[in-house]
Amino acid sequence: MTSHELRERFETALMPTYGTPPIALSHGEGRRVWDADGRGYLDLLAGIAVSTLGHGHPALVRAVSEQAATLAHTSNLYVHEPGVRLAERLTSLVRAGATGPTGDIRVFFANSGSEANEAALKLVKRAAGPGRTTIVSTDDGFHGRTSGALALTGKPAIRDPFGPFGLDVRFVAHGDTAALRDAVDDTCAAVFVEPVQGEAGIRPAAPGYLAEVREICDNTGAAFVLDEIQSGVGRTGHWFAHQAEGILPDVLTLAKGLGGGLPLGACLGLGPYASAFAKGDHGSTFGGNPVSCAASLAVLDTIEVEGLLDAAAELGDLLAGEIAAVGHPLVTEVRGAGLWRGVQLSSPAAAAVQSSAAEHGFLVNAVAPDVVRLAPPLTITREEVREFTGALPRILDRAAGEERPA
Ligand SMILES: *Cc1c(COP(=O)(O)O)cnc(C)c1O
């Protein structure tokens, strides 16, 4: 079936919430994917920071195939080994990166980022004392599309048509510690923040911001919920972005890269939040499915065995450095850390850059009108980085040309 045919059928069979994506993908290998017409692309997006090991990595294929053949599903009525091992593994990664004692850490598994945040929302409500009903979140932040997660999302255009949500949320600017100090008081159950705002265009706060959030939460008794759904699992060159800041949240949410392409979300509670849920408080039929957990264990093992944290740091710097070295007038800044970068443009040409990149055989994402997001598989090589940056002058020239008024 051709791309054209697939796109036409998509248009009538699927709800129009994504528009009709321009490319129909058919298969992938390593960092390359091919469309339904046989055109190859170097994947610099990894399905929005999800395909941590790229496509068809033997360790992931083996883990998923073996687990699917052994036991694909149990429901939450039964214990299974991949889930127990993964929970232990995640808690030990958080512990290993902590500068001090962490206390108890426990995991709730979900299927997606939104659901990990829904779990976090219920968890902090459960843990909060009476009268603590307000949640503080950030302008332009993104926490998901389900109603609770959407209520916390600081993008009125995607949020407001679906409210009211029955949740009292105060929004403050990300990185503005004075505004946060004003907003958080003893009526607040929690503060939800991303270490770097991903969907807003890979926008980091000033260094020290997370430490200030930690302090404000400590002083007021609000829970610090850190949404590392996009930043976690090696993306920034650390297991989790907060480990570079020397702080620990009370609740940590993960998803995207965690399953390496299999649907998996996790909500980790630390200290008193580890055991704030009582029996019956929350649940999911599919959450922590054995196949997704086996996939995630393969992702974590491979990150370790192949040294992908160091690689992400090193190749991310190479990528950012080479983009800056192109010196194209359309590019004003390259932000972010590791293999998670926002390329700031001087004009709203991100869509033009995305389509020009695709024409040249590269997948990138126009995350904002004037920002291009790069989040390649952590397995990307030096040669592949240079393949992209070598083509970048032509990609940007073409995009700038398209953008110029006729
Ligand atoms: C993607 C994302 C979510 C939502 O995850 P879904 O799996 O799409 O529900 C939540 N928070 C952040 C920071 C994200 O990047």
Side-chain angles (χ1 to χ4, degrees):
M1 210 173 297
T2 64
S3 287
H4 177 73
E5 206 180 334
L6 276 170
R7 293 181 71 243
E8 269 191 358
R9 290 170 63 177
F10 180 102
E11 216 148 70
T12 48
L14 284 108
M15 290 191 186
T17 180
Y18 303 113
T20 304
I23 297 170
L25 290 180
S26 124
H27 60 285
E29 191 187 333
R31 275 69 60 197
R32 288 192 203 269
V33 290
W34 284 265
D35 70 17
D37 308 321
R39 291 198 47 181
Y41 303 86
L42 184 63
D43 182 5
L44 293 154
L45 186 61
I48 319 186
V50 166
S51 306
T52 312
L53 306 183
H55 305 276
H57 193 289
L60 189 82
V61 171
R62 198 181 320 113
V64 168
S65 319
E66 282 177 7
Q67 191 58 47
T70 306
L71 186 66
H73 175 75
T74 62
S75 85
N76 53 46
L77 301 176
Y78 306 95
V79 175
H80 58 79
E81 185 175 327
V84 173
R85 283 179 49 212
L86 181 60
E88 289 172 350
R89 190 69 183 280
L90 290 174
T91 58
S92 67
L93 290 176
V94 171
R95 251 184 245 292
T99 48
T102 58
D104 200 9
I105 309 178
R106 298 197 200 192
V107 183
F108 177 84
F109 285 122
N111 306 289
S112 66
S114 294
E115 287 173 275
N117 282 334
E118 294 290 338
L121 194 52
K122 283 180 69 177
L123 184 69
V124 298
K125 284 181 174 180
R126 189 41 122 188
R132 283 189 183 266
T133 52
T134 301
I135 309 283
V136 177
S137 190
T138 58
D139 293 327
D140 296 318
F142 184 80
H143 298 292
R145 300 288 202 146
T146 55
S147 289
L150 188 58
L152 306 175
T153 286
K155 294 171 179 258
I158 66 168
R159 182 193 65 223
D160 290 349
F162 303 99
F165 302 101
L167 192 66
D168 177 21
V169 186
R170 283 179 203 154
F171 288 98
V172 297
H174 187 254
D176 185 341
T177 50
L180 190 66
R181 226 171 269 283
D182 284 345
V184 184
D185 56 31
D186 61 9
T187 69
C188 292
V191 176
F192 276 69
V193 294
E194 299 157 85
V196 169
Q197 288 189 317
E199 296 304 306
I202 323 291
R203 297 188 185 275
Y209 176 58
L210 295 185
E212 295 243 27
V213 177
R214 178 69 275 171
E215 190 197 309
I216 291 167
C217 288
D218 285 341
N219 292 343
T220 54
F224 177 4
V225 182
L226 190 63
D227 180 339
E228 290 228 39
I229 286 163
Q230 193 161 158
S231 59
V233 197
R235 184 70 21 217
T236 64
H238 303 271
W239 282 110
F240 310 109
H242 71 262
Q243 294 176 332
E245 304 266 329
I247 60 103
L248 280 172
D250 295 309
V251 180
L252 175 67
T253 55
L254 305 172
K256 290 197 167 79
L258 182 60
L262 277 284
L264 183 63
C267 172
L268 282 71
L270 284 75
Y273 296 90
S275 43
F277 273 151
K279 188 178 175 189
D281 273 349
H282 197 43
S284 167
T285 302
F286 292 115
N289 161 285
V291 178
S292 293
C293 290
S296 185
L297 285 164
V299 168
L300 302 178
D301 283 346
T302 305
I303 289 176
E304 222 158 74
V305 170
E306 295 188 6
L308 297 182
L309 297 183
D310 289 344
E314 196 184 313
L315 295 182
D317 286 344
L318 177 72
L319 178 65
E322 299 267 298
I323 294 168
V326 166
H328 198 280
L330 198 51
V331 174
T332 57
E333 186 192 10
V334 187
R335 292 188 291 264
L339 288 168
W340 195 38
R341 300 285 174 162
V343 181
Q344 179 68 51
L345 306 178
S346 55
S347 68
V353 171
Q354 179 183 310
S355 56
S356 170
E359 279 166 31
H360 287 86
F362 300 92
L363 298 187
V364 305
N365 165 243
V367 66
D370 57 353
V371 184
V372 174
R373 168 168 49 190
L374 302 174
L378 304 188
T379 52
I380 195 169
T381 65
R382 234 160 223 290
E383 293 67 34
E384 288 163 339
V385 167
R386 291 216 163 95
E387 186 184 326
F388 172 64
T389 54
L392 196 56
R394 280 173 284 135
I395 293 171
L396 294 173
D397 282 348
R398 162 74 72 90
E402 265 180 23
E403 208 246 324
R404 216 169 284 143

